[in-house]
Amino acid sequence: MKQRDSQKWFWPNIEDEEQLKEIQLQGLKWTVSHAYNNSPFYKKRFEDASIKPEDIKSLDDLKYLPFTTADDLRDGYPMPLLSVPENKVVRIHSSSGTTGKRKILCYTQNDIKDWITFFARCYDLAGVGPGDKVQIAVGYGLWTAGISFQTACEAVGAMAIPIGPGNLDMQCQFLVDLKPNVICCTASMALLLSEEVHRRGIQDKINVKKIIQGSERCSDAMRRAILENFNAEELFDITGLTELYGPGAGIDCPYHEGIHYWADYYILEILNPETLEPVGEGEIGEMVVTTLKKEAAPLIRYRTRDLTRAISGRCKCGLIFPRHDRILGRSDDMFIFRGVNIYPGQIDEILSMVEGVSSEYNIILERQAGKDYMTINIERDPMGDPVWDDEIEDKISLMIKKEIMVSAEVRIVDHGTLPRSQKKSKRLFDKRNDK
Ligand code: ZN
């Protein structure tokens, strides 16, 4: 570890990859036996799979463990996976499922401490500490985001401005009056707020240098727009999901060559979402996580549905912690069009390479006379001239044909005409089974 890291309370002293693996093995053994002995849900799952805690002898044995899914959390409502007596639970959080019941997750005191510890590493990697002012524009209350961004911010000694999401007027006022140099929000909110800053012409009255944004896929074009509108210097991607504590599970370092994740707190597998076998080196797959220290609601091979790929080798920053790529979409969002598996992140990547269009687009799938059609609506760049629309449309169609091997109808629309959202923007509209 680097000198700087080991001096701070939230960085562990881990010498090399071997030591990290040993920590993982101990954590895995503990988790499996903790879950087996204290959770009726896990006990039954293990018994159905004919697995006993003592069968886990190496990290390689992870592959024999059964998967856990979002459905399991809903079936066990309200306290699924509970593995401690209820009086050890000091907090709950909840996320709205896109379908059906909410997911409720619970935390012991140790879980909360662990969460703050690794979240503090995220701020530290982003260079946030004493003297920094952090505008926290994410959801509070039942959501995991607000409180974790705030407690970790205070824990590293920075000033928290807990403003919450929405309310662009107040956001802008605080940006001008208190001059925070860091803002934390979702990518959609970052775009919305940065466009508002730009629209109001207050760029020279604010001081946003860094954006820490989470929980959403964000194209390079969207990143550029956010940085330019804020006149900011750096953008960090923070990962996390409610089931895995919440935000703070990983972040990119100043080299921005992938997201470091806290492998002393969880094991990450990247698996083919259909076969559930490991993908080849560097291939895209679903993130499957197993926690190593979580007490109240441990996760064992939890299918996150998030897609990414592993990045091999040690990062230039020297940090021992491994990396994965940005979140490239959700395996649920993966759609099959004329026999080809496509995820929206692939479309993002292509659109990001084209000049004259903005980051905002949507994909519409329709069926006519038994045949599938794809239309991609994309906003013209605010400075763009409609005279180039035809040419750009053709160019994008051609690139999609070449990269993804499908045909799509591309339409450029006026800037600002596609719906914006402060939460996650919906990109895909599949109307193929609509009447
Ligand atoms: Zn790094």
Side-chain angles (χ1 to χ4, degrees):
M1 298 289 293
K2 290 192 297 181
Q3 192 69 13
R4 172 192 70 124
D5 299 334
S6 55
Q7 287 170 348
K8 293 181 180 166
W9 58 272
F10 37 80
W11 291 108
N13 266 314
I14 301 175
E15 295 293 325
D16 54 24
E17 278 78 1
E18 283 310 304
Q19 197 188 344
L20 183 57
K21 279 188 181 154
E22 185 52 34
I23 290 170
Q24 289 189 321
L25 178 58
Q26 294 313 319
L28 178 63
K29 285 180 173 174
W30 176 82
T31 298
V32 169
S33 107
H34 170 64
Y36 182 86
N37 292 318
N38 298 299
S39 153
F41 165 81
Y42 278 124
K43 182 161 194 168
K44 175 156 192 322
R45 260 305 150 84
F46 288 5
E47 281 174 354
D48 291 348
S50 306
I51 301 260
K52 287 231 174 335
E54 52 270 29
D55 296 334
I56 302 301
K57 296 187 174 72
S58 74
L59 287 177
D60 202 38
D61 295 331
L62 180 65
K63 63 174 181 274
Y64 301 118
L65 294 173
F67 291 94
T68 318
T69 66
D71 287 339
D72 296 324
L73 267 70
R74 279 190 280 270
D75 294 345
Y77 185 88
M79 290 240 188
L81 318 182
L82 186 67
S83 304
V84 295
E86 208 178 295
N87 66 5
K88 295 285 179 207
V89 173
V90 297
R91 195 198 292 167
I92 64 121
H93 280 293
S94 172
S95 72
S96 59
T98 39
T99 51
K101 273 184 195 151
R102 293 184 154 274
K103 287 180 244 172
I104 296 182
L105 274 299
C106 44
Y107 304 74
T108 64
Q109 270 177 342
N110 281 333
D111 293 337
I112 300 278
K113 272 186 219 152
D114 286 344
W115 189 8
I116 293 174
T117 302
F118 62 70
F119 203 132
R121 297 177 190 170
C122 293
Y123 276 124
D124 196 47
L125 270 197
V128 177
D132 291 311
K133 294 184 201 172
V134 185
Q135 184 148 321
I136 300 169
V138 295
Y140 275 79
L142 281 171
W143 302 98
T144 48
I147 195 167
S148 59
F149 272 98
Q150 179 169 349
T151 46
C153 171
E154 292 161 359
V156 298
M159 182 205 289
I161 305 173
I163 200 160
N167 203 336
L168 294 180
D169 263 341
M170 188 160 60
Q171 303 282 357
C172 288
Q173 191 190 336
F174 275 82
L175 288 179
V176 170
D177 294 350
L178 284 169
K179 300 208 172 10
N181 58 333
V182 183
I183 183 158
C184 302
C185 51
T186 62
S188 300
M189 177 65 180
L191 180 68
L192 196 71
L193 182 55
S194 75
E195 285 180 341
E196 185 64 18
V197 162
H198 186 73
R199 197 182 65 75
R200 294 184 183 208
I202 53 171
Q203 278 155 311
D204 56 349
K205 295 193 178 76
I206 66 170
N207 184 40
V208 176
K209 298 278 180 258
K210 290 173 186 170
I211 298 126
I212 300 179
Q213 64 180 34
S215 76
E216 196 182 3
R217 188 163 44 79
C218 176
S219 68
D220 285 335
M222 197 161 156
R223 284 159 201 280
R224 283 194 299 270
I226 292 166
L227 284 170
E228 274 173 29
N229 289 336
F230 275 130
N231 199 13
E233 288 162 5
E234 231 175 341
L235 200 152
F236 293 88
D237 272 309
I238 194 163
T239 56
L241 64 160
T242 306
E243 298 91 312
L244 184 64
Y245 301 87
I251 194 168
D252 45 346
C253 70
Y255 288 97
H256 303 292
E257 291 178 359
I259 289 164
H260 289 281
Y261 66 92
W262 313 127
D264 53 342
Y265 283 94
Y266 65 98
I267 294 173
L268 174 66
E269 295 174 272
I270 298 179
L271 306 180
N272 179 314
E274 271 152 35
T275 64
L276 297 175
E277 293 293 324
V279 296
E281 199 183 319
E283 281 176 26
I284 294 168
E286 179 178 328
M287 300 171 80
V288 173
V289 294
T290 301
T291 57
L292 301 172
K293 297 180 184 176
K294 207 158 175 269
E295 295 179 341
L299 297 181
I300 293 175
R301 302 195 89 193
Y302 181 73
R303 294 190 58 187
T304 68
R305 310 284 165 178
D306 284 328
L307 298 170
T308 193
R309 56 195 147 206
I311 295 178
S312 57
R314 186 80 77 91
C315 180
K316 289 184 198 126
C317 74
L319 206 60
I320 194 94
F321 289 101
R323 290 170 295 161
H324 61 76
D325 204 344
R326 291 176 196 157
I327 307 299
L328 301 166
R330 305 260 311 154
S331 59
D332 308 332
D333 294 340
M334 190 164 335
F335 58 95
I336 300 176
F337 177 77
R338 296 187 189 175
V340 180
N341 285 347
I342 301 172
Y343 62 94
Q346 287 174 290
I347 310 264
D348 272 5
E349 283 182 7
I350 289 171
L351 298 180
S352 293
M353 291 187 274
V354 179
E355 285 194 38
V357 293
S358 87
S359 56
E360 293 309 287
Y361 71 95
N362 62 31
I363 303 165
I364 295 166
L365 304 177
E366 286 161 309
R367 182 166 293 156
Q368 280 167 29
K371 203 169 177 202
D372 290 354
Y373 294 88
M374 185 192 314
T375 307
I376 299 173
N377 294 301
I378 175 158
E379 285 184 1
R380 193 181 307 112
D381 186 272
M383 304 308 224
D385 187 334
V387 80
W388 301 107
D389 285 358
D390 286 350
E391 199 173 306
I392 296 172
E393 285 166 357
D394 290 349
K395 186 177 176 188
I396 295 173
S397 296
L398 210 67
M399 287 168 85
I400 288 173
K401 181 116 206 162
K402 192 169 153 240
E403 300 289 330
I404 317 181
M405 325 254 217
V406 294
S407 297
E409 165 91 25
V410 178
R411 288 191 199 136
I412 310 269
V413 299
D414 289 341
H415 184 76
T417 50
L418 296 179
R420 299 287 198 276
S421 165
Q422 294 182 7
K423 292 190 187 148
K424 297 180 189 187
S425 298
K426 185 171 163 63
R427 305 278 187 201
L428 179 67
F429 298 86
D430 190 346
K431 302 176 176 174
R432 288 178 292 183
N433 293 314
D434 291 1
K435 275 280 165 217

